[in-house]
PDB file of all heavy atoms in Angstrom:
ATOM      1  N   GLN A 123      56.489 109.396   6.196  1.00 96.00           N
ATOM      2  CA  GLN A 123      56.038 110.105   7.398  1.00 96.00           C
ATOM      3  C   GLN A 123      56.838 111.373   7.663  1.00 96.00           C
ATOM      4  O   GLN A 123      56.313 112.366   8.139  1.00 96.00           O
ATOM      5  CB  GLN A 123      56.167 109.180   8.618  1.00 96.00           C
ATOM      6  CG  GLN A 123      55.191 108.025   8.566  1.00 96.00           C
ATOM      7  CD  GLN A 123      55.346 107.128   9.770  1.00 96.00           C
ATOM      8  OE1 GLN A 123      56.432 107.025  10.331  1.00 96.00           O
ATOM      9  NE2 GLN A 123      54.272 106.472  10.147  1.00 96.00           N
ATOM     10  N   GLU A 181      78.061 141.078   9.818  1.00 89.00           N
ATOM     11  CA  GLU A 181      78.690 142.265   9.251  1.00 89.00           C
ATOM     12  C   GLU A 181      80.178 142.127   8.989  1.00 89.00           C
ATOM     13  O   GLU A 181      80.781 142.957   8.326  1.00 89.00           O
ATOM     14  CB  GLU A 181      78.444 143.467  10.165  1.00 89.00           C
ATOM     15  CG  GLU A 181      77.042 144.007  10.007  1.00 89.00           C
ATOM     16  CD  GLU A 181      76.691 145.014  11.066  1.00 89.00           C
ATOM     17  OE1 GLU A 181      77.615 145.611  11.636  1.00 89.00           O
ATOM     18  OE2 GLU A 181      75.487 145.178  11.329  1.00 89.00           O
ATOM     19  N   ILE A 206      64.686 109.667   4.894  1.00 98.00           N
ATOM     20  CA  ILE A 206      63.229 109.761   5.021  1.00 98.00           C
ATOM     21  C   ILE A 206      62.745 108.681   5.971  1.00 98.00           C
ATOM     22  O   ILE A 206      63.382 107.629   6.096  1.00 98.00           O
ATOM     23  CB  ILE A 206      62.512 109.615   3.652  1.00 98.00           C
ATOM     24  CG1 ILE A 206      62.911 108.318   2.939  1.00 98.00           C
ATOM     25  CG2 ILE A 206      62.795 110.808   2.758  1.00 98.00           C
ATOM     26  CD1 ILE A 206      62.134 108.051   1.653  1.00 98.00           C
ATOM     27  N   ASP A 207      61.658 108.966   6.667  1.00 98.00           N
ATOM     28  CA  ASP A 207      61.037 107.964   7.525  1.00 98.00           C
ATOM     29  C   ASP A 207      59.794 107.456   6.810  1.00 98.00           C
ATOM     30  O   ASP A 207      58.904 108.243   6.470  1.00 98.00           O
ATOM     31  CB  ASP A 207      60.638 108.577   8.878  1.00 98.00           C
ATOM     32  CG  ASP A 207      61.860 109.049   9.663  1.00 98.00           C
ATOM     33  OD1 ASP A 207      62.991 108.663   9.277  1.00 98.00           O
ATOM     34  OD2 ASP A 207      61.687 109.795  10.634  1.00 98.00           O
ATOM     35  N   VAL A 208      59.759 106.133   6.583  1.00 97.00           N
ATOM     36  CA  VAL A 208      58.616 105.558   5.862  1.00 97.00           C
ATOM     37  C   VAL A 208      57.924 104.523   6.722  1.00 97.00           C
ATOM     38  O   VAL A 208      58.497 103.994   7.677  1.00 97.00           O
ATOM     39  CB  VAL A 208      59.073 104.908   4.529  1.00 97.00           C
ATOM     40  CG1 VAL A 208      59.651 105.946   3.591  1.00 97.00           C
ATOM     41  CG2 VAL A 208      60.056 103.777   4.773  1.00 97.00           C
TER      42      VAL A 208
ATOM     43  N   THR B 117      58.016 102.473  11.794  1.00 93.00           N
ATOM     44  CA  THR B 117      58.664 103.513  11.014  1.00 93.00           C
ATOM     45  C   THR B 117      60.087 103.068  10.695  1.00 93.00           C
ATOM     46  O   THR B 117      60.801 102.592  11.576  1.00 93.00           O
ATOM     47  CB  THR B 117      58.736 104.826  11.819  1.00 93.00           C
ATOM     48  OG1 THR B 117      57.418 105.207  12.150  1.00 93.00           O
ATOM     49  CG2 THR B 117      59.385 105.919  10.994  1.00 93.00           C
ATOM     50  N   THR B 118      60.419 103.171   9.451  1.00 95.00           N
ATOM     51  CA  THR B 118      61.778 102.810   9.049  1.00 95.00           C
ATOM     52  C   THR B 118      62.466 104.037   8.491  1.00 95.00           C
ATOM     53  O   THR B 118      61.875 104.759   7.684  1.00 95.00           O
ATOM     54  CB  THR B 118      61.731 101.732   7.940  1.00 95.00           C
ATOM     55  OG1 THR B 118      60.930 100.664   8.410  1.00 95.00           O
ATOM     56  CG2 THR B 118      63.123 101.241   7.602  1.00 95.00           C
ATOM     57  N   ARG B 119      63.679 104.254   8.934  1.00 97.00           N
ATOM     58  CA  ARG B 119      64.437 105.382   8.382  1.00 97.00           C
ATOM     59  C   ARG B 119      65.262 104.905   7.181  1.00 97.00           C
ATOM     60  O   ARG B 119      66.031 103.966   7.282  1.00 97.00           O
ATOM     61  CB  ARG B 119      65.347 105.983   9.456  1.00 97.00           C
ATOM     62  CG  ARG B 119      66.188 107.129   8.924  1.00 97.00           C
ATOM     63  CD  ARG B 119      66.565 108.111  10.008  1.00 97.00           C
ATOM     64  NE  ARG B 119      65.396 108.849  10.499  1.00 97.00           N
ATOM     65  CZ  ARG B 119      65.463 109.853  11.373  1.00 97.00           C
ATOM     66  NH1 ARG B 119      66.635 110.222  11.857  1.00 97.00           N
ATOM     67  NH2 ARG B 119      64.372 110.477  11.783  1.00 97.00           N
ATOM     68  N   VAL B 120      65.034 105.542   6.059  1.00 97.00           N
ATOM     69  CA  VAL B 120      65.758 105.192   4.836  1.00 97.00           C
ATOM     70  C   VAL B 120      66.813 106.275   4.565  1.00 97.00           C
ATOM     71  O   VAL B 120      66.469 107.438   4.380  1.00 97.00           O
ATOM     72  CB  VAL B 120      64.796 105.133   3.620  1.00 97.00           C
ATOM     73  CG1 VAL B 120      65.557 104.776   2.349  1.00 97.00           C
ATOM     74  CG2 VAL B 120      63.662 104.165   3.884  1.00 97.00           C
ATOM     75  N   TYR B 294      86.770 146.721   2.693  1.00 97.00           N
ATOM     76  CA  TYR B 294      85.777 145.932   3.429  1.00 97.00           C
ATOM     77  C   TYR B 294      85.061 144.961   2.483  1.00 97.00           C
ATOM     78  O   TYR B 294      84.892 143.775   2.769  1.00 97.00           O
ATOM     79  CB  TYR B 294      84.784 146.895   4.085  1.00 97.00           C
ATOM     80  CG  TYR B 294      83.613 146.243   4.792  1.00 97.00           C
ATOM     81  CD1 TYR B 294      83.808 145.439   5.903  1.00 97.00           C
ATOM     82  CD2 TYR B 294      82.302 146.467   4.340  1.00 97.00           C
ATOM     83  CE1 TYR B 294      82.727 144.863   6.560  1.00 97.00           C
ATOM     84  CE2 TYR B 294      81.220 145.896   4.990  1.00 97.00           C
ATOM     85  CZ  TYR B 294      81.434 145.094   6.096  1.00 97.00           C
ATOM     86  OH  TYR B 294      80.368 144.526   6.734  1.00 97.00           O
TER      87      TYR B 294
END
Side-chain angles (χ1 to χ4, degrees):
Chain A
Q123 292 180 331
E181 283 169 23
I206 55 174
D207 296 346
V208 296
Chain B
T117 301
T118 307
R119 178 153 292 186
V120 180
Y294 175 64

